[in-house]
Amino acid sequence: MDLAKIHAKPDLYLRGFKKTLWDTAGIFLLKGWKQIEKENVGTVDDTMLSEILRIQAEGFKNERQGEIIKYSQKFRKVFYVIKRQDKVIGYCIYHMKPFLSSRGFEKKSVIYSIAIDSKFRKKGFGRKLLEESIREMKLNRVFSVLLYVNVNNIPAIKLYEKTGFLIVKEVENVCGQKEMCYKMELKLF
Ligand SMILES: CC(C)(COP(=O)(O)OP(=O)(O)OC[C@H]1O[C@@H](n2cnc3c(N)ncnc32)[C@H](O)[C@@H]1OP(=O)(O)O)[C@@H](O)C(=O)NCCC(=O)NCCS
């Protein structure tokens, strides 16, 4: 390990270390994950990645190819895709985080990214993808699902509200520098 570099950028290394810890905890929480039969919704495989990266780039200002590939390897069980006539038309990626309740350690899931191919939006595919994946979350005793959404992203806010998510609070600098976003939560238990 290069100590000079750590000394020069302690924040960066601390952030990297915290991320690795969260990832490790998330992977641990997926042990024994049960999958259910889902209509037109499945999990990612490598052949789908190029299409998913295209849909991601189309849906967001900032491309996150490296992160998406990482999630497809580490969190494959909760990296969902929706298909139409055998073609991937959307994805929803979750990661897991532990939290301490009066019952002991439990898990929450966080939506990292969700997008539907622009040609297929407003046809119910986003809602179907969320509902099917959340059904699986419930079976796996996930206490609640969290997400962050830009306050100006009306289609996404509508989708989440229709699926039952509630706004918990408004926060800054999570969805982007100086951007405001809502933290939303759907309690499953
Ligand atoms: C957000 C997104 C995933 C929604 O997917 P979608 O497949 O179009 O959503 P659905 O068709 O399932 O719509 C779900 C509900 O939201 C509403 N909705 C969707 N788009 C809307 C829009 N542009 N304006 C108003 N309401 C909208 C629908 O009316 C629907 O309500 P209903 O079930 O009562 O009919 C899609 O717009 C997208 O990929 N956006 C770009 C990426 C993005 O912003 N992701 C979210 C980041 S937090």
Side-chain angles (χ1 to χ4, degrees):
M1 198 183 298
D2 188 339
L3 288 175
K5 276 190 192 161
I6 294 178
H7 190 68
K9 292 178 183 164
D11 276 8
L12 217 67
Y13 278 91
L14 194 64
R15 239 182 293 149
F17 179 66
K18 271 170 83 178
K19 209 165 180 336
T20 310
L21 267 186
W22 279 116
D23 281 0
T24 311
I27 292 164
F28 178 76
L29 291 171
L30 282 174
K31 290 235 176 313
W33 188 261
K34 297 185 203 81
Q35 285 174 317
I36 51 175
E37 202 54 45
K38 299 176 287 301
E39 198 190 337
N40 295 327
V41 174
T43 46
V44 69
D45 72 49
D46 292 348
T47 62
M48 302 168 183
L49 273 177
S50 60
E51 193 55 13
I52 287 167
L53 293 176
R54 187 192 65 73
I55 295 170
Q56 193 275 336
E58 179 187 65
F60 297 91
K61 280 185 284 185
N62 46 345
E63 289 188 26
R64 294 202 169 142
Q65 300 208 344
E67 284 282 291
I68 297 231
I69 291 167
K70 184 191 92 178
Y71 275 89
S72 74
Q73 291 156 356
K74 291 191 172 174
F75 297 104
R76 187 168 288 242
K77 289 174 191 162
V78 285
F79 189 138
Y80 299 93
V81 295
I82 185 158
K83 290 183 173 179
R84 185 180 167 273
Q85 292 167 353
D86 275 339
K87 190 180 171 304
V88 172
I89 56 158
Y91 69 84
C92 181
I93 310 171
Y94 295 81
H95 63 86
M96 296 290 149
K97 63 177 213 173
F99 82 102
L100 197 56
S101 81
S102 53
R103 291 184 295 266
F105 272 108
E106 300 199 57
K107 48 184 182 264
K108 289 189 178 187
S109 66
V110 185
I111 296 183
Y112 169 70
S113 182
I114 176 170
I116 299 292
D117 184 328
S118 60
K119 293 189 287 298
F120 297 99
R121 288 185 195 159
K122 290 184 85 174
K123 295 180 192 304
F125 290 111
R127 190 160 172 179
K128 174 88 184 159
L129 179 58
L130 267 186
E131 285 175 350
E132 289 289 290
S133 52
I134 288 169
R135 214 159 52 83
E136 196 167 282
M137 298 279 146
K138 199 159 180 193
L139 175 81
N140 285 280
R141 307 289 306 168
V142 173
F143 181 80
S144 75
V145 185
L146 294 167
L147 60 87
Y148 294 87
V149 56
N150 192 298
V151 295
N152 299 315
N153 192 346
I154 303 301
I157 294 169
K158 290 276 174 235
L159 164 68
Y160 301 140
E161 283 177 342
K162 297 276 167 98
T163 317
F165 284 82
L166 296 176
I167 294 174
V168 178
K169 61 177 174 180
E170 209 172 317
V171 288
E172 201 180 352
N173 293 335
V174 175
C175 301
Q177 276 297 310
K178 298 219 154 51
E179 284 183 31
M180 295 306 295
C181 65
Y182 295 127
K183 176 180 181 179
M184 298 184 82
E185 183 169 30
L186 173 66
K187 291 214 166 94
L188 302 181
F189 292 97

